[in-house]
Amino acid sequence: MADSIRILLIDDDEDDFVITRDIIMDITGRNYHLDWTSSFDEALSLIREKKHDVYLVDFFLGAHDGLELITQAVAEGATAPFILLTGQTDRETDEKAMRAGALDYLVKGTFNPYDLERSIRYSIEHAKSLAEIQSLNAQLEQRVEERTQELAEAIQKLENTNRILYEAQQEIEKALQKEKELNELKSRFVTTASHEFRTPLSTVLSSASIIARYKTTEEDQKRLKHVDRIKSAVQNLTVILNDFLSISRIEEGKVYNIPSTFNLVSFANEVVDEMQALVKDGQKIVYRHEGSEMVELDKQLLKNILINLLSNASKYSAEGKTIHLSTHVTPETSIITVQDEGIGIPAQDQTHLFTPFFRAQNATNIQGTGLGLNIVKRYVEVMDGTLDFKSELNQGTTFTITFPQTV
């Protein structure tokens, strides 16, 4: 403790100031300087200046009391210790003083120089300890806040790392799944190719051998029959090869959407005329259109889509059946529908309809690679369209394609 200690006595009775001054002068070994004020407001003003080391506060201060003064001063940030001077010596006064912020209290008229010196010394040391504790608490809170922030940042980094690892794991799983699908695709390709190529090649080989036996004019009819068989087999081989080539180009990302503006009705009629010559005997393609005739779509991709759907409609329908092609153009969309009267698709097979090389249970005896609808779906997606279908067993199937309209 410093050799010179400044004390402020706050008491509205000058006689108490004189008594307190005399008691302080009797304290040996210490240098005390006593100031005095009798005003509540002046006392608060002096406390705010923080020039004193300790405050002696009388319980009664005219219209106010010492507890009120201590409470207000502490609330304003006063850190020097307060000692309450009271004429009452009871537990209630003690507790009120402590709650207000006083560090000690003395009963007026009973304390001597030793009691006052001990109380001043104790209060100053106690105040210093409290200040140190508050400082340590503040430092601790700061460190806790800093550690909390560091922990939050560490957690954020960990979460980011976990997210990156999760995304990497997802990518790896996707790559593995794609590799698995590719291996399955290759396996199905080998199986399908060996089967689908064998049949037309056998037809070509056998028909070519038989043709060699027909040498007379009378046998021209038989010879032409086998020539037609060879042409049909070669045509089937071309379709199969085109399907495989289309899948390869799609997988390599070499299929692009290159739209152009054209008359959809004229275009559809050309496709119908071309396909009418290739459908089964007695089958007829009926075309109907509604709305505007001009569209902006990829003409080649659309032709491939229509040829594939119309070919399927003919393939899976009996002779003499009707195939319906309709187009409907609105300001928002271009809608194309292909409807047949064929064998339909079993309900349990419909979820796998667009899977490469998939063949429905009722189509295994009909020639095909199982690639056509997958190619159609991929072409439609490249053109930013959607493909839907409805099918009922032995009643037929309807495919509906919707493209956004930009013309």
Side-chain angles (χ1 to χ4, degrees):
M1 185 161 50
D3 289 336
S4 180
I5 297 175
R6 297 195 63 176
I7 303 170
L8 176 64
L9 173 64
I10 305 165
D11 195 321
D12 60 353
D13 188 339
E14 186 174 358
D15 290 340
D16 286 337
F17 163 62
V18 173
I19 293 170
T20 305
R21 183 190 62 188
D22 292 342
I23 293 174
I24 290 177
M25 290 178 62
D26 290 338
I27 299 175
T28 59
R30 299 288 180 182
N31 183 15
Y32 294 100
H33 176 80
L34 180 64
D35 293 320
W36 170 59
T37 179
S38 60
S39 166
F40 182 95
D41 292 332
E42 184 182 7
L44 283 176
S45 179
L46 291 171
I47 291 171
R48 293 186 188 110
E49 294 178 6
K50 298 182 178 181
K51 295 180 178 180
H52 296 86
D53 300 300
V54 64
Y55 305 99
L56 302 179
V57 183
D58 187 19
F59 188 89
F60 296 104
L61 293 172
H64 303 278
D65 62 50
L67 295 179
E68 183 180 351
L69 175 71
I70 294 172
T71 301
Q72 185 170 341
V74 170
E76 291 182 5
T79 58
F82 291 87
I83 299 173
L84 184 67
L85 303 179
T86 177
Q88 305 176 34
T89 173
D90 55 62
R91 184 181 183 86
E92 183 180 357
T93 302
D94 186 4
E95 291 178 350
K96 286 182 179 179
M98 297 305 106
R99 284 197 298 270
L103 293 184
D104 199 2
Y105 83 99
L106 295 171
V107 179
K108 296 170 68 173
T110 65
F111 62 87
N112 53 41
Y114 171 79
D115 294 330
L116 181 58
E117 190 274 338
R118 180 203 58 79
S119 181
I120 291 173
R121 176 167 43 84
Y122 166 81
S123 297
I124 291 176
E125 293 298 330
H126 192 185
K128 287 182 178 179
S129 298
L130 287 177
E132 290 178 1
I133 291 173
Q134 290 174 352
S135 176
L136 290 173
N137 284 339
Q139 294 177 22
L140 181 60
E141 289 178 1
Q142 179 65 26
R143 291 182 63 183
V144 169
E145 184 177 348
E146 292 174 356
R147 294 297 183 269
T148 302
Q149 181 63 28
E150 291 174 0
L151 181 60
E153 293 174 357
I155 291 173
Q156 182 63 42
K157 290 179 181 179
L158 182 59
E159 289 176 350
N160 291 337
T161 301
N162 288 339
R163 178 178 54 79
I164 294 171
L165 289 175
Y166 175 77
E167 291 175 355
Q169 181 182 359
Q170 293 296 105
E171 291 299 322
I172 292 173
E173 289 178 357
K174 287 180 182 178
L176 291 174
Q177 181 62 29
K178 194 169 186 64
E179 183 69 20
K180 180 181 178 182
E181 292 173 357
L182 183 59
N183 289 333
E184 292 176 355
L185 193 64
K186 290 178 180 178
S187 177
R188 278 187 250 154
F189 170 80
V190 173
T191 302
T192 303
S194 62
H195 177 269
E196 294 300 327
F197 283 143
R198 186 183 298 114
T199 301
L201 287 174
S202 298
T203 299
V204 170
L205 182 60
S206 61
S207 293
S209 300
I210 294 173
I211 287 175
R213 301 175 189 173
Y214 300 139
K215 299 180 180 179
T216 64
T217 304
E218 292 78 8
E219 295 175 316
D220 280 349
Q221 192 64 34
K222 296 179 180 179
R223 187 163 44 248
L224 289 175
K225 175 185 176 181
H226 287 285
V227 169
D228 289 338
R229 289 185 65 195
I230 291 174
K231 288 181 180 180
S232 177
V234 171
Q235 186 179 22
N236 288 337
L237 282 173
T238 301
V239 170
I240 294 170
L241 288 173
N242 285 338
D243 284 349
F244 287 155
L245 180 60
S246 295
I247 285 291
S248 176
R249 293 180 67 243
I250 291 172
E251 292 295 334
E252 293 173 2
K254 294 182 179 179
V255 176
Y256 307 101
N257 181 28
I258 308 176
S260 62
T261 303
F262 61 92
N263 188 298
L264 179 60
V265 176
S266 300
F267 169 80
N269 280 319
E270 291 175 3
V271 175
V272 168
D273 290 341
E274 181 179 336
M275 291 303 300
Q276 188 64 60
L278 302 176
V279 298
K280 293 178 182 177
D281 291 340
Q283 290 182 344
K284 184 178 180 182
I285 302 175
V286 176
Y287 173 55
R288 179 174 57 87
H289 176 76
E290 294 181 24
S292 172
E293 297 185 1
M294 301 304 295
V295 294
E296 185 174 359
L297 298 168
D298 189 305
K299 202 170 184 179
Q300 186 58 50
L301 291 181
L302 182 59
K303 182 175 182 179
N304 293 338
I305 291 169
L306 289 180
I307 289 176
N308 205 311
L309 291 178
L310 292 172
S311 296
N312 278 358
S314 173
K315 184 190 302 183
Y316 297 111
S317 300
E319 295 180 356
K321 296 292 184 178
T322 301
I323 300 168
H324 299 273
L325 170 64
S326 65
T327 53
H328 183 197
V329 178
T330 71
E332 294 80 23
T333 58
S334 299
I335 303 172
I336 300 171
T337 304
V338 176
Q339 180 181 6
D340 64 46
E341 301 172 354
I343 61 176
I345 305 164
Q348 63 271 26
D349 291 338
Q350 292 185 12
T351 56
H352 306 290
L353 190 61
F354 299 107
T355 303
F357 300 106
F358 175 78
R359 304 297 307 282
Q361 298 176 24
N362 59 343
T364 54
N365 294 326
I366 301 175
Q367 189 175 21
T369 63
L371 292 175
L373 288 178
N374 178 263
I375 294 171
V376 168
K377 187 174 187 299
R378 302 284 284 274
Y379 281 170
V380 170
E381 290 172 349
V382 169
M383 296 172 67
D384 297 323
T386 58
L387 173 61
D388 299 299
F389 74 95
K390 294 181 180 179
S391 184
E392 188 174 345
L393 200 59
N394 299 320
Q395 296 297 317
T397 302
T398 300
F399 287 93
T400 302
I401 304 170
T402 304
F403 295 112
Q405 176 69 313
T406 58
V407 175

